[in-house]
Amino acid sequence: MKIISDQKLIRLIKVAPVLVVGIFIILLSAIIIYNNHTKATSDIKSLRNNFMDLQKAVAKSQVEQVFQDIQFEKNQTEASLKHNIRQRVNEAYAIAENIYQQHKDKSEAEVTRLITDSLRSISFNGGRGYFFIYKTNGLSVMHPLLPQMEGKSKWGLQDVKGSYIVQEMGELVKTKGESFYHWWFVKPQNNTQEFEKIGFGKYFAPYDWFIGTGEYLTDVENDIKQRLLERISNIRYGKNGYVFVIDYQGNYLSHFKESLVGTNNLDGKGANGFPFVRKIIQTAKQGGDYVEYIGSIMPSTGQPAQKISYVTAIADWDWVIGTGVYINEIENYLAQRKTIVQNQNIVGLQKILLLSFFSTLILVFVLVYISRNISRRFEKFQQHINSNIEELQRTKDQLHFVAHHDALTKLPNRLLLEERITQAIELSKVNNKKCALMFVDFDDFKKINDLYGHSVGDDLLQAVSHKFESVLQAGDSITRFGGDEFIFCFPGLKDLRAAEEKVKRIQAVFKDPFSIAGKAIHSSCSIGVTIYPNDGDDPEELISKADIVLYKSKAQQKGSFLFFNKLINQQVHQDLQLESALRTALKNNEFSVVYQPQICIQSGHINGVEALLRWHNEQLGHVSPVDFIPIAEDTGLIHEIGMFVLEQSLSDISDFNHHREHPITLSVNLSPRQLNAPKFIDKLVAAVARHTIDSQLITFEITESLLIEDLAHVSPILQTLRDNGFNLSLDDFGTGYSSLSYLSILPINEIKIDRSFVDKLLTSSETENLIRAIVAIGESYQLTIVAEGVETAEQLTKLSSFQCHIAQGYYFDRPLSLTDLNNKYLTTVCC
């Protein structure tokens, strides 16, 4: 019995290790295979989501870029038209002047024939453009399209709006020498509908003519549309990427497949019956979004395919622009990755099972040897498995990097911002140190883009980002917040002086110009700084406060920096309180308009008034315009408030001037935001017409800061004001660095000497010489000179000796209500 038991024990000893090791190997293999399969499934799912989001983001970026290009071109329509027709008329005028000079000895009829023979056959703008000649009394001298009109008077010719086309244009041109004019007229090929037309005429004095031409605004816009569609049709990216354009009626305007262009597919449906064209148009009209559908054709296959497109609308033109990604492309990529992983797992499984089988046999002979061999084999195959996992992890890490880093600069984007700040705060807290958050914004970056193009702007961002990284030390971080905004995070700082040193290092990046595309680009930055724990311990709070002081820093002086403090915090709360009260001020009738008299220095009589806004609130009392006007501009309330001032002052001065032999003038300050508002000039002209005031009695005051910000944009707006008969005054003249240059290029009628100069007039010889120079400059440009802030008789006497024209200030009167103005100035006498 004992022998039998021993034999069983021996067999057990022989078999048990093999069984134990075999079972262990089988279980271990199963666990590894299961974990590998689970990990691969999870990573493939994550890869799918991230890759899909990336492709959608690329499509949206393409559409947004095309949208921006279209908006830019569209905004240039009228300016391009005006430039073209002015140039053409100047050429025609030069031809007429040359012929006239060469044939002065001949009769008017002979010279007229020579000129009209030269100009009649000239056409331009694709054959649409032609020249016409009228006498200013309405007699048609030349009209190539309607020669039967020649020799007849068109004095009474009216457009659909009742404007006397020839009469009014002739009066404008004769008065100003040359002028633009708007009217509505039928097209030669469409006599049932009238279109807006912009013309330009130039006065030809020898024969009392005006030579002109006109162009339909819609034709120029159509040219721009066609040019844009040709440009869009050439856009290609990736294997199947293109941009399409359809209109709200379902007509294809641009498509990679040229045969579709010009066709209508409004009722087009995909293979699944989904009306994708109508859905695309509806989504674009609602603000733009992604639309999933079965597209009619995939470029690489020529067959219908499922697609996700991002679409948006150009509402003014009834256009829909879009592009997208084909699901097949994504699925094919993911299927390839999935197949590779599955094949690797199958191969690994086969090897593990084969190894387990042979290992079990060998264990019968040499368990130790087998154990060592199994260990080595498992290590080898584990490396293969890990290699597969690492490859998936690298792909995942790459997608994670793309999602959390800026595509242009490769810097972390705002998705990582809060995480970086939180880590920096925790590090500073552990070390009992401070952490500085610095919000950095380029100064005048938009001007660089406008001047040199967006590609130069992108290159500048890359160059600056590279230099920014050299500022960083261990533990520091930088994030591209968006556009030209960056956020630095500096943990472990000893004190505020250390933070200032960091600021100086950032500013030093802009010390030397950047060489971009062969150009030396000078730039600077403004910086807002918050400190943990002084200004807060929450990332969002620190970012918000840094943004606030950045705004304050740019407002004070570009290229400077500002630390957040209690005064700024208090000012922010005050601004919020003012903003809240300001939103209901108009509704509660809290605003009033007062008038500061402007006195003719030579006669001593009132010449005009400047309208000044006053605000009284029950809780806040009297609030200075210095405090609430900037808030009104930031919030957009300045448009309503500005129109209130305009309407009230026009009404008051209309009443004041009624039945007076010598009407006074009215000066009104214009905000930059008002001037840039759409249709502002139309509203202004309509308001003046309602109150029946001569536009020549109205002066609009603008500040030099408005001109510095965007002279190219503002200049044509100011010219339009002058074309409508209004006067323009340059306020605070001499306080900026380039006022003198504006006088030679802008239609300014008046300059105002700033009160800061008048204050020092009697105490500073430098100021006295400066005012003399300003008056001399004004006289050389034939401008009216107005001195602000006159408070003493001595100041008035001195200004009189300089031949200054008009003065205003407390010496004469504080700002008066309409009643007080009527009572005190019963009669008016002009200068």
Side-chain angles (χ1 to χ4, degrees):
M1 185 73 178
K2 183 178 179 181
I3 293 175
I4 294 174
S5 298
D6 288 344
Q7 289 175 345
K8 290 181 178 179
L9 180 60
I10 291 171
R11 285 196 298 272
L12 182 63
I13 292 172
K14 289 180 179 180
V15 174
V18 175
L19 292 176
V20 170
V21 172
I23 292 172
F24 176 77
I25 291 172
I26 292 172
L27 290 176
L28 180 62
S29 300
I31 292 172
I32 292 174
I33 292 170
Y34 175 77
N35 288 339
N36 186 38
H37 176 73
T38 303
K39 178 73 171 173
T41 301
S42 174
D43 287 345
I44 289 173
K45 182 178 180 180
S46 177
L47 176 64
R48 174 188 295 275
N49 294 335
N50 291 335
F51 189 71
M52 178 69 79
D53 290 342
L54 177 61
Q55 293 300 307
K56 289 169 69 177
V58 169
K60 183 176 181 180
S61 176
Q62 289 286 344
V63 171
E64 289 176 344
Q65 181 62 50
V66 172
F67 180 87
Q68 292 174 3
D69 292 343
I70 291 175
Q71 290 294 338
F72 175 80
E73 291 285 354
K74 184 173 67 172
N75 292 336
Q76 300 301 310
T77 302
E78 184 168 335
S80 175
L81 186 156
K82 285 188 174 182
H83 175 77
N84 177 264
I85 62 176
R86 180 197 287 267
Q87 183 178 5
R88 293 295 185 180
V89 170
N90 285 336
E91 292 171 359
Y93 182 89
I95 292 172
E97 177 66 18
N98 184 50
I99 293 173
Y100 172 75
Q101 293 297 335
Q102 292 180 358
H103 301 280
K104 277 186 175 181
D105 56 328
K106 295 181 180 180
S107 67
E108 179 179 343
E110 290 179 287
V111 177
T112 297
R113 181 181 55 77
L114 291 173
I115 293 175
T116 55
D117 287 347
S118 298
L119 299 182
R120 187 183 303 277
S121 60
I122 297 176
S123 63
F124 43 91
N125 291 346
R128 299 192 305 266
Y130 61 89
F131 297 116
F132 55 77
I133 302 175
Y134 285 92
K135 283 185 175 290
T136 60
N137 63 5
L139 186 68
S140 175
V141 177
M142 183 189 78
H143 198 298
L145 291 188
L146 300 171
Q148 64 273 20
M149 289 172 44
E150 295 176 4
K152 299 179 181 178
S153 175
K154 293 299 174 180
W155 185 257
L157 180 63
Q158 291 181 278
D159 67 1
V160 71
K161 296 182 180 295
S163 298
Y164 288 90
I165 302 173
V166 177
Q167 180 183 153
E168 293 177 2
M169 188 173 184
E171 291 173 353
L172 280 174
V173 171
K174 187 169 184 178
T175 302
K176 300 179 179 180
E178 60 181 34
S179 178
F180 288 101
Y181 184 73
H182 293 244
W183 72 92
W184 292 77
F185 213 74
V186 297
K187 288 188 174 183
Q189 66 274 24
N190 186 351
N191 292 322
T192 61
Q193 183 181 359
E194 298 199 355
F195 299 86
E196 183 178 3
K197 193 167 187 178
I198 299 178
F200 180 78
K202 194 175 183 71
Y203 185 59
F204 189 73
Y207 297 144
D208 193 30
W209 291 353
F210 64 93
I211 303 174
T213 188
E215 178 69 292
Y216 291 98
L217 195 59
T218 184
D219 288 341
V220 178
E221 191 172 77
N222 288 337
D223 290 344
I224 291 176
K225 286 181 181 179
Q226 190 59 40
R227 186 168 66 251
L228 286 169
L229 289 173
E230 291 175 0
R231 188 188 309 167
I232 292 170
S233 67
N234 294 322
I235 295 176
R236 298 289 186 275
Y237 63 95
K239 186 177 181 181
N240 290 294
Y242 65 92
V243 178
F244 63 83
V245 182
I246 60 178
D247 62 20
Y248 285 1
Q249 289 72 46
N251 297 304
Y252 280 101
L253 305 180
S254 177
H255 197 277
F256 91 94
K257 189 174 181 181
E258 295 182 359
S259 62
L260 289 179
V261 177
T263 64
N264 183 280
N265 199 27
L266 181 62
D267 296 320
K269 297 179 179 179
N272 58 354
F274 178 68
F276 67 92
V277 176
R278 289 186 180 273
K279 182 62 176 177
I280 285 173
I281 295 172
Q282 179 185 2
T283 302
K285 285 182 177 181
Q286 293 173 349
D289 205 345
Y290 294 97
V291 180
E292 184 171 354
Y293 58 96
I294 297 179
S296 57
I297 186 170
M298 181 175 177
S300 60
T301 65
Q303 299 297 322
Q306 192 172 6
K307 186 177 184 181
I308 297 177
S309 290
Y310 182 82
V311 298
T312 191
I314 306 295
D316 293 349
W317 290 354
D318 290 352
W319 279 14
V320 176
I321 57 175
T323 188
V325 58
Y326 289 93
I327 303 299
N328 287 354
E329 286 187 294
I330 298 174
E331 294 298 338
N332 290 340
Y333 171 79
L334 294 174
Q336 292 173 3
R337 300 303 306 159
K338 184 177 181 180
T339 300
I340 292 172
V341 172
Q342 290 176 339
N343 290 338
Q344 290 173 340
N345 286 341
I346 291 173
V347 172
L349 176 62
Q350 292 173 344
K351 290 182 179 180
I352 290 173
L353 293 175
L354 185 63
L355 176 62
S356 299
F357 174 75
F358 283 108
S359 298
T360 303
L361 293 178
I362 297 173
L363 276 174
V364 177
F365 303 100
V366 188
L367 186 60
V368 174
Y369 175 78
I370 294 175
S371 300
R372 292 177 179 175
N373 189 56
I374 291 174
S375 176
R376 290 194 298 269
R377 293 286 182 176
F378 264 100
E379 182 178 355
K380 179 179 179 181
F381 287 112
Q382 187 64 47
Q383 289 174 353
H384 284 293
I385 295 171
N386 288 339
S387 176
N388 295 336
I389 296 174
E390 288 172 358
E391 184 177 354
L392 286 175
Q393 186 62 44
R394 281 194 297 271
T395 303
K396 181 179 178 181
D397 291 342
Q398 183 179 3
L399 291 174
H400 183 275
F401 181 87
V402 171
H404 291 80
H405 288 75
D406 174 52
L408 178 65
T409 64
K410 304 299 185 258
L411 295 177
N413 59 26
R414 55 200 304 173
L415 293 178
L416 286 178
L417 178 59
E418 185 171 342
E419 177 184 335
R420 296 287 178 89
I421 298 174
T422 301
Q423 293 173 353
I425 289 175
E426 291 300 322
L427 179 63
S428 300
K429 186 185 297 183
V430 170
N431 297 325
N432 196 26
K433 298 285 188 179
K434 297 183 181 296
C435 175
L437 192 71
M438 301 186 183
F439 209 133
V440 179
D441 179 75
F442 287 19
D443 297 324
D444 300 324
F445 184 71
K446 179 180 181 299
K447 291 185 178 180
I448 294 175
N449 272 337
D450 293 342
L451 183 60
Y452 300 108
H454 287 276
S455 61
V456 172
D458 288 345
D459 291 344
L460 177 61
L461 286 173
Q462 289 178 320
V464 175
S465 299
H466 180 70
K467 283 195 174 185
F468 275 167
E469 290 184 300
S470 66
V471 174
L472 304 180
Q473 296 177 339
D476 300 342
S477 64
I478 180 177
T479 301
R480 186 184 180 195
F481 193 72
D484 59 337
E485 296 176 333
F486 297 81
I487 292 182
F488 286 85
C489 186
F490 298 108
L493 299 181
K494 182 179 180 181
D495 50 28
L496 295 182
R497 184 180 295 276
E500 289 184 3
E501 291 298 324
K502 296 289 188 182
V503 170
K504 292 178 181 178
R505 294 190 65 181
I506 295 174
Q507 290 178 323
V509 168
F510 297 89
K511 182 179 180 181
D512 298 321
F514 294 88
S515 179
I516 307 294
K519 304 176 180 66
I521 308 296
H522 294 268
S523 186
S524 62
C525 70
S526 299
I527 306 175
V529 186
T530 50
I531 302 294
Y532 162 83
N534 306 41
D535 304 323
D537 57 4
D538 177 70
E540 186 174 346
E541 180 184 7
L542 291 172
I543 293 172
S544 176
K545 290 181 177 179
D547 191 17
I548 290 170
V549 288
L550 170 63
Y551 171 79
K552 296 288 185 183
S553 174
K554 291 182 79 71
Q556 291 179 5
Q557 182 180 355
K558 292 180 180 179
S560 63
F561 67 91
L562 192 62
F563 281 72
F564 189 85
N565 56 49
K566 291 182 179 179
L567 290 177
I568 292 176
N569 191 41
Q570 181 181 1
Q571 182 64 48
V572 170
H573 285 86
Q574 289 176 351
D575 289 348
L576 289 175
Q577 184 181 13
L578 280 176
E579 180 182 338
S580 178
L582 194 59
R583 291 187 181 277
T584 59
L586 270 176
K587 181 179 178 182
N588 296 337
N589 296 318
E590 296 175 5
F591 287 123
S592 61
V593 180
V594 294
Y595 304 94
Q596 185 165 43
Q598 295 178 326
I599 306 301
C600 178
I601 294 178
Q602 299 304 319
S603 69
H605 295 289
I606 185 171
N607 181 74
V609 292
E610 179 180 357
L612 301 173
L613 181 63
R614 295 293 181 261
W615 178 27
H616 181 270
N617 178 270
E618 289 185 2
Q619 286 75 35
L620 302 176
H622 290 284
V623 185
S624 170
V626 175
D627 295 327
F628 71 80
I629 290 298
I631 297 175
E633 290 181 334
D634 290 341
T635 58
L637 294 172
I638 194 65
H639 301 297
E640 296 180 52
I641 295 174
M643 286 308 297
F644 164 78
V645 173
L646 185 64
E647 292 281 2
Q648 185 65 53
S649 60
L650 286 173
S651 176
D652 289 347
I653 299 308
S654 177
D655 291 344
F656 183 88
N657 284 337
H658 191 56
H659 300 311
R660 295 178 188 269
E661 182 180 355
H662 300 288
I664 64 171
T665 63
L666 171 66
S667 292
V668 181
N669 289 281
L670 286 186
S671 160
R673 285 185 177 265
Q674 285 179 273
L675 206 59
N676 291 318
K679 298 184 178 178
F680 169 70
I681 295 181
D682 294 340
K683 295 178 181 178
L684 186 151
V685 171
V688 172
R690 281 196 302 274
H691 295 284
T692 62
I693 294 182
D694 187 347
S695 61
Q696 294 184 356
L697 294 176
I698 301 173
T699 298
F700 292 111
E701 297 187 13
I702 57 174
T703 61
E704 184 175 350
S705 61
L706 168 64
L707 306 178
I708 294 174
E709 288 177 0
D710 197 349
L711 179 60
H713 176 70
V714 170
S715 181
I717 298 176
L718 298 182
Q719 185 59 55
T720 303
L721 286 172
R722 289 290 295 119
D723 291 342
N724 281 280
F726 299 109
N727 297 308
L728 296 175
S729 175
L730 185 56
D731 200 6
D732 302 333
F733 183 80
T735 58
Y737 65 89
S738 56
S739 297
L740 187 58
S741 63
Y742 303 139
L743 300 183
S744 60
I745 59 177
L746 293 177
I748 302 296
N749 305 91
E750 175 184 285
I751 54 177
K752 300 190 77 173
I753 302 173
D754 188 62
R755 65 180 64 250
S756 62
F757 297 146
V758 176
D759 287 342
K760 300 176 184 177
L761 174 60
L762 303 177
T763 59
S764 169
S765 59
E766 290 83 359
T767 301
E768 179 179 340
N769 291 333
L770 178 59
I771 293 178
R772 286 180 184 272
I774 292 174
V775 173
I777 291 170
E779 290 179 349
S780 66
Y781 283 98
Q782 297 181 339
L783 303 176
T784 301
I785 312 298
V786 181
E788 295 182 298
V790 178
E791 298 186 358
T792 67
E794 290 80 3
Q795 291 173 339
L796 182 63
T797 301
K798 182 69 73 172
L799 290 168
S800 177
S801 68
F802 295 164
Q803 300 302 311
C804 182
H805 304 134
I806 297 172
Q808 65 181 83
Y810 287 177
Y811 175 73
F812 304 105
D813 266 311
R814 290 178 178 273
L816 303 172
S817 67
L818 179 63
T819 301
D820 292 338
L821 186 69
N822 269 307
N823 292 337
K824 185 163 185 179
Y825 297 97
L826 296 177
T827 60
T828 60
V829 178
C830 296
C831 286

